[in-house]
Amino acid sequence: MAENETKDPPPPYSSLEPQPTLMTCDQVVCESYGTTHKTVPYYVPRDPMQVVPIIVTNHAVLHTGTSTRKSQTKSKCLIGLAFVLFVLAAAGVSIWLGVRYGINGNSDSQSIHNESNNEHDHDDDDDDDDDKNLMKTCSNLTVQCDAIQDCQQASDETNCVRFSRGGVLQVRTAQDERFLPVCYPGMDKSYADQICAQLGFRSAYSLGLVETNASTVLSLKPREDKLIQGLVNVSSSCPNERAISLECTDCGQQRLSSRIIGGSVSKDGQWPWQVSLHFNSGHVCGGTIISPDFVLSAAHCFQQSMMNSGSWQVYAGSVSQNTLLTAYSVKNIIVHESYNNHNNDYDIALLKLSSPVEFSNTVQPVCLPTFDQNISEDLECWTSGFGTTVGGGAYASTNLMSVSVNIIGTSVCNSSGLYRGAISNNMICAGDINGGRDSCQGDSGGPLVCKDLNDRWYLAGITSWGAGCGQKLRPGVYCRVTSLIPWIYSKMQQEKP
């Protein structure tokens, strides 16, 4: 978390010691700005899996002399001869078996093997059938949002529910492929719990009414144990023009409040959704709690050699690395399938926790934005993390730092004076055009939050990359959460507790 106190900007990341191979980026961005992800790769404990082992055969080190080459040639010949003899022997055995038992292969040994497998698998037949149904390959004939799970991990049924501003529940069905509001009649708390559970939450928090004058809506059928997209019918209007407003979590609230100064140490409960992600006992990245079971972070935090979920710990409710509180283990790491480490696009990852987070005054989830959340260019938001406080710093901050930043429009951020077209539709810029307020190395994966009209904080971005820290005309770049809301809900639905 950087806030410059002097007029001299920090050195660009490119002037620091070399970055690991993951820290690659768009050629224009890299060459022009020395861009890198906002993490501190050189204080993270080295992953032993990155060391290539040296294999010594025959317990001897061979030198490339003439005698060595001869012995190698002789060895190769012997190995080749042995292989040919093995193939011939195998062919002979196959021919004998074919003559002895017939070409159908119905030998006694094969029958015994099949019977043994049948006995072993008999108790799991139902589970196997369910797995096969979910593992079907999608075809062009697959009907989306018909409440029938045809594809692997039910991917054909995971983008059928969303929320618009005001928490208005919208559902897409096979009858009408548009997202439509759902009328209130027939709704109750039990029904609401079922809908939220479908999305990966444990229950519903708040259920209410909202006015709608939509000409096409959805009316509820009696509640059954089905997906919500299979429990609605297309209608012309809602009775009394009342639709459903639904919240699945009590989110985005600071239980303990005190005045915050930009770039200052955060207080207990100030950013209760902030977590510290540790890999092999060292802070690597930040993350954000969005429900008792899920944390959002950045895809680039999880290199290929760091995908072992058992090596990660999630610390919640802590504002100091010296007083870390409860640690939660990670059950699964889901990195966006389209993540591109060359241009940093789709820089998002979802962590499924092994056990639910216990909420308190200092541990709370942030609100996910609605798909149509208005993130205006003049909006003041906040970013927080345990990253370095000076660009190029070698160590993370002991304390959780936070700083206010302004949203910067994509057209401005993509202009020739800034990032020259490197900002995609899945990115959002925030900071100060004049420099001085920014996230920094080690803040990666942490939250960029903004407050809505209801005084609740929602997650607008995930700290991703930038050129230096707090430099003029080089604001921080964040993964735009509103663009990836469908992906978040679909993965939560697939990984639901």
Side-chain angles (χ1 to χ4, degrees):
M1 197 60 49
E3 184 178 40
N4 295 344
E5 298 179 355
T6 63
K7 295 182 179 179
D8 296 326
Y13 288 2
S14 57
S15 66
L16 304 177
E17 57 185 272
Q19 308 293 318
T21 54
L22 179 71
M23 301 302 167
T24 56
C25 50
D26 181 88
Q27 183 177 2
V28 174
V29 180
C30 280
E31 293 181 353
S32 303
Y33 309 120
T35 304
T36 186
H37 298 104
K38 293 178 179 295
T39 188
V40 187
Y42 38 85
Y43 80 83
V44 177
R46 183 179 296 277
D47 180 8
M49 293 301 293
Q50 293 177 327
V51 180
V52 179
I54 299 175
I55 301 175
V56 180
T57 58
N58 298 328
H59 304 285
V61 178
L62 301 179
H63 301 280
T64 56
T66 304
S67 60
T68 300
R69 285 194 295 270
K70 288 180 179 179
S71 61
Q72 288 176 333
T73 303
K74 183 177 179 179
S75 298
K76 290 179 180 178
C77 291
L78 292 174
I79 292 172
L81 179 60
F83 178 77
V84 171
L85 292 174
F86 174 79
V87 171
L88 291 175
V93 171
S94 299
I95 293 172
W96 180 82
L97 289 173
V99 173
R100 172 67 179 80
Y101 296 108
I103 59 174
N104 336 355
N106 292 327
S107 67
D108 294 338
S109 60
Q110 182 67 34
S111 299
I112 294 173
H113 175 73
N114 289 339
E115 289 173 4
S116 174
N117 284 344
N118 289 338
E119 287 181 2
H120 178 74
D121 295 337
H122 178 72
D123 294 336
D124 298 326
D125 284 347
D126 293 339
D127 293 338
D128 291 343
D129 290 341
D130 292 340
D131 292 340
K132 289 177 182 178
N133 288 334
L134 292 179
M135 292 294 290
K136 291 178 183 176
T137 302
C138 286
S139 68
N140 294 332
L141 300 178
T142 298
V143 179
Q144 301 286 324
C145 300
D146 62 352
I148 301 174
Q149 300 176 353
D150 295 313
C151 305
Q152 183 178 0
Q153 290 189 299
S155 59
D156 55 320
E157 300 299 318
T158 57
N159 187 22
C160 307
V161 182
R162 72 181 186 183
F163 299 97
S164 64
R165 277 179 288 182
V168 178
L169 175 67
Q170 294 187 349
V171 175
R172 182 171 66 176
T173 68
Q175 305 170 48
D176 190 316
E177 296 182 354
R178 297 173 295 174
F179 279 96
L180 301 173
V182 182
C183 300
Y184 192 87
M187 174 58 60
D188 57 21
K189 179 62 166 59
S190 179
Y191 218 145
D193 286 342
Q194 178 176 318
I195 296 171
C196 288
Q198 174 181 325
L199 294 176
F201 296 93
R202 290 186 171 260
S203 61
Y205 164 68
S206 175
L207 175 63
L209 296 166
V210 64
E211 291 186 4
T212 180
N213 56 5
S215 58
T216 306
V217 296
L218 298 173
S219 58
L220 283 172
K221 298 178 183 179
R223 178 173 173 260
E224 297 180 42
D225 187 19
K226 293 182 179 179
L227 301 175
I228 182 60
Q229 54 267 32
L231 296 174
V232 289
N233 284 321
V234 177
S235 303
S236 58
S237 63
C238 287
N240 300 320
E241 297 185 338
R242 294 291 189 270
I244 297 171
S245 174
L246 179 63
E247 294 180 11
C248 294
T249 56
D250 183 13
C251 59
Q253 298 193 72
Q254 298 166 318
R255 303 296 185 181
L256 302 177
S257 60
S258 61
R259 180 177 174 81
I260 309 172
I261 306 300
S264 69
V265 176
S266 300
K267 307 296 183 182
D268 282 335
Q270 200 68 61
W271 310 112
W273 38 81
Q274 172 83 49
V275 298
S276 173
L277 303 183
H278 283 226
F279 181 79
N280 289 342
S281 302
H283 171 83
V284 177
C285 284
T288 308
I289 300 171
I290 58 173
S291 82
D293 301 281
F294 295 102
V295 167
L296 281 175
S297 189
H300 79 260
C301 292
F302 305 96
Q303 304 180 35
Q304 191 61 39
S305 59
M306 300 170 73
M307 288 296 290
N308 178 18
S309 59
S311 298
W312 289 91
Q313 293 290 315
V314 176
Y315 288 92
S318 301
V319 294
S320 172
Q321 292 290 322
N322 292 332
T323 56
L324 293 172
L325 302 178
T326 306
Y328 296 90
S329 58
V330 177
K331 183 176 182 180
N332 198 9
I333 302 170
I334 305 102
V335 173
H336 199 290
E337 302 82 357
S338 299
Y339 167 61
N340 187 325
N341 66 349
H342 295 288
N343 60 16
N344 311 320
D345 208 6
Y346 296 95
D347 193 7
I348 188 172
L350 181 71
L351 306 185
K352 168 70 181 298
L353 303 180
S354 298
S355 59
V357 173
E358 295 183 9
F359 293 151
S360 65
N361 286 338
T362 58
V363 180
Q364 291 287 317
V366 76
C367 296
L368 287 172
T370 59
F371 81 93
D372 55 353
Q373 191 89 39
N374 182 27
I375 305 178
S376 59
E377 296 182 9
D378 58 349
L379 193 63
E380 182 179 286
C381 304
W382 290 79
T383 184
S384 56
F386 289 97
T388 62
T389 56
V390 178
Y395 297 95
S397 170
T398 300
N399 300 311
L400 178 63
M401 307 294 290
S402 58
V403 65
S404 64
V405 291
N406 291 101
I407 300 298
I408 299 170
T410 300
S411 59
V412 174
C413 209
N414 261 335
S415 64
S416 58
L418 277 75
Y419 286 125
R420 299 212 303 267
I423 309 303
S424 75
N425 292 332
N426 300 310
M427 303 175 189
I428 185 171
C429 295
D432 190 327
I433 291 292
N434 296 317
R437 293 181 292 147
D438 196 5
S439 53
C440 203
Q441 296 160 310
D443 292 325
S444 278
L448 169 68
V449 294
C450 308
K451 185 180 286 189
D452 62 16
L453 298 177
N454 295 325
D455 286 335
R456 291 184 178 238
W457 294 89
Y458 64 89
L459 187 64
I462 297 171
T463 305
S464 180
W465 63 278
C469 298
Q471 295 192 49
K472 185 177 181 180
L473 301 179
R474 302 294 181 262
V477 184
Y478 301 78
C479 175
R480 185 186 290 268
V481 176
T482 51
S483 297
L484 297 174
I485 279 292
W487 182 85
I488 295 171
Y489 279 132
S490 68
K491 296 307 176 183
M492 287 178 64
Q493 183 169 337
Q494 292 171 358
E495 297 286 335
K496 60 187 176 184

